[in-house]
Amino acid sequence: MEYAHYRQVDAAVDKLYAQGKCEEAITLLQAALAQFPEYLFDTLWYQAFLYCETGQYEKAYTVIEALIQKGYFCPLDWRGLDPLREAEGFALLQKENERLKALAQSQAKMEHAVYLPEGYDADQSYPLFIVLHGDGGGGNLEQFPWYWPPEAVTRLGFVLVYVQSSQVLYSRNFGWLPNPSIARRDVKDCYDVVESQYAIDPGRIIIGGFSGGAIAALEVTLADVLPVRGFICQSAELKPESFTDEAVRWAAQRGVRGVLMEGEKVLPVQNEQEMMQAFQDAGLPYQFYVNPGVGHVVPEELAEKLQQGVDFIEK
């Protein structure tokens, strides 16, 4: 089957993996490589992941070795690779992997992309929605909009900005969680640039994201980095560094409102339950949306959930 864009391949493989059809997913990826050679790393790393998931560790090792030899670097700290750690040559691969990662980190910087609502007029002021990608797969400016489509936000009248972290995780992918202070700095730097270039209403700022980006969005909110009015966070399954009862009370006093979303298949999540209890105790208005039938993913009905969340925050 021919695909018009690699994002369709990615979605199809995700679906097969969720159904437990790993061999079919591997076959699909192998066929897609010829059509989308520019996604060589994404394709081969996903294959290595699936080989590990199915116990085919020798094949996984061969793929990872080929990637590193081509100058890519992989998330070798992933626990799924534990059976490979004693393999001959793995230590050397790891050393070269760290060298490549350090080189990429030395050149990395925060980047962002702005999308404007239809009919944008610089003589008016607009609400701003800041969106943060997850840590790891899809964690870049190119791929995250596949999962969190810009039109789901701009149709609500917001200026949208995607922020790409300056913290490198592995080739083509970035993250927020390794260093919260850098995450806060990146988001603040992005806001300062966007606010200087576009007609932004500082009283109507919403921040959101997925997974590591959702946790970072809570970090920015609770650390009072920006005048955030509300947050919409999908799969914020860890408490951010700044999460304290005092910080939550201060956010409530500032009028912050929030939305947490989570996939039904991973519930219950203790950290989320504890955060919501803290919100309730502090009087911080919040809503919790359950995405039926899915796990740790951005829901297909994201646009509908964002509409609900924005209405709740802005009412």
Side-chain angles (χ1 to χ4, degrees):
M1 178 178 178
E2 289 281 312
Y3 292 91
H5 194 283
Y6 187 81
R7 63 176 173 266
Q8 296 171 320
V9 174
D10 192 66
V13 174
D14 285 348
K15 186 174 182 179
L16 289 170
Y17 173 64
Q19 296 170 344
K21 300 177 180 178
C22 291
E23 291 298 332
E24 291 182 38
I26 291 169
T27 300
L28 194 161
L29 286 167
Q30 290 171 336
L33 189 57
Q35 185 182 357
F36 301 104
E38 66 273 26
Y39 290 97
L40 182 143
F41 175 81
D42 308 80
T43 303
L44 291 184
W45 171 249
Y46 209 155
Q47 285 184 50
F49 168 83
L50 291 170
Y51 282 139
C52 288
E53 290 287 280
T54 53
Q56 301 178 75
Y57 295 109
E58 289 187 8
K59 290 183 178 180
Y61 184 92
T62 299
V63 171
I64 292 169
E65 182 179 43
L67 283 171
I68 293 173
Q69 288 175 347
K70 292 177 182 293
Y72 297 101
F73 53 102
C74 307
L76 296 188
D77 56 348
W78 174 49
R79 63 180 179 272
L81 297 177
D82 286 350
L84 292 177
R85 300 198 190 284
E86 301 304 318
E88 183 179 356
F90 189 85
L92 288 175
L93 276 184
Q94 196 161 28
K95 183 177 181 180
E96 175 62 7
N97 196 71
E98 288 303 311
R99 186 191 71 82
L100 292 168
K101 180 179 179 180
L103 176 61
Q105 184 61 71
S106 70
Q107 301 169 347
K109 61 181 180 179
M110 180 278 293
E111 297 186 26
H112 70 282
V114 175
Y115 293 79
L116 301 177
E118 185 176 355
Y120 173 82
D121 182 350
D123 292 329
Q124 301 180 18
S125 62
Y126 290 82
L128 176 67
F129 202 124
I130 301 169
V131 180
L132 311 182
H133 57 73
D135 281 35
N140 56 58
L141 284 181
E142 177 194 2
Q143 294 179 357
F144 190 55
W146 301 353
Y147 311 103
W148 194 298
E151 59 273 14
V153 174
T154 57
R155 73 183 184 89
L156 302 177
F158 282 75
V159 171
L160 164 66
V161 57
Y162 292 110
V163 193
Q164 180 176 288
S165 170
S166 64
Q167 300 180 70
V168 173
L169 293 185
Y170 51 94
S171 287
R172 294 167 56 83
N173 288 278
F174 301 81
W176 303 99
L177 299 183
N179 190 322
S181 65
I182 294 176
R184 294 193 297 267
R185 182 197 68 196
D186 283 351
V187 176
K188 179 61 164 62
D189 288 349
C190 178
Y191 172 75
D192 289 343
V193 171
V194 172
E195 191 271 337
S196 71
Q197 295 178 345
Y198 299 93
I200 302 301
D201 181 348
R204 298 179 66 196
I205 298 172
I206 294 178
I207 189 167
F210 169 65
S211 191
I215 298 163
L218 287 171
E219 172 70 28
V220 168
T221 301
L222 295 174
D224 200 11
V225 175
L226 306 176
V228 172
R229 181 170 183 177
F231 56 84
I232 301 179
C233 296
Q234 168 66 46
S235 299
E237 294 167 11
L238 296 173
K239 294 178 185 176
E241 182 181 73
S242 62
F243 197 98
T244 64
D245 290 342
E246 181 181 2
V248 174
R249 286 195 296 269
W250 174 231
Q253 291 171 22
R254 300 195 312 269
V256 172
R257 302 167 72 89
V259 171
L260 296 180
M261 298 188 283
E262 187 55 85
E264 179 184 28
K265 290 186 176 181
V266 301
L267 294 175
V269 179
Q270 183 174 345
N271 281 314
E272 288 175 335
Q273 292 178 323
E274 291 176 359
M275 286 192 288
M276 288 188 287
Q277 185 62 57
F279 296 156
Q280 183 173 325
D281 292 344
L284 190 153
Y286 75 93
Q287 290 187 338
F288 183 59
Y289 305 158
V290 175
N291 303 321
V294 299
H296 188 85
V297 296
V298 178
E300 291 184 0
E301 67 277 14
L302 177 67
E304 176 185 337
K305 297 289 177 66
L306 290 179
Q307 176 75 71
Q308 287 179 248
V310 167
D311 288 346
F312 171 70
I313 289 168
E314 295 212 314
K315 73 177 182 180

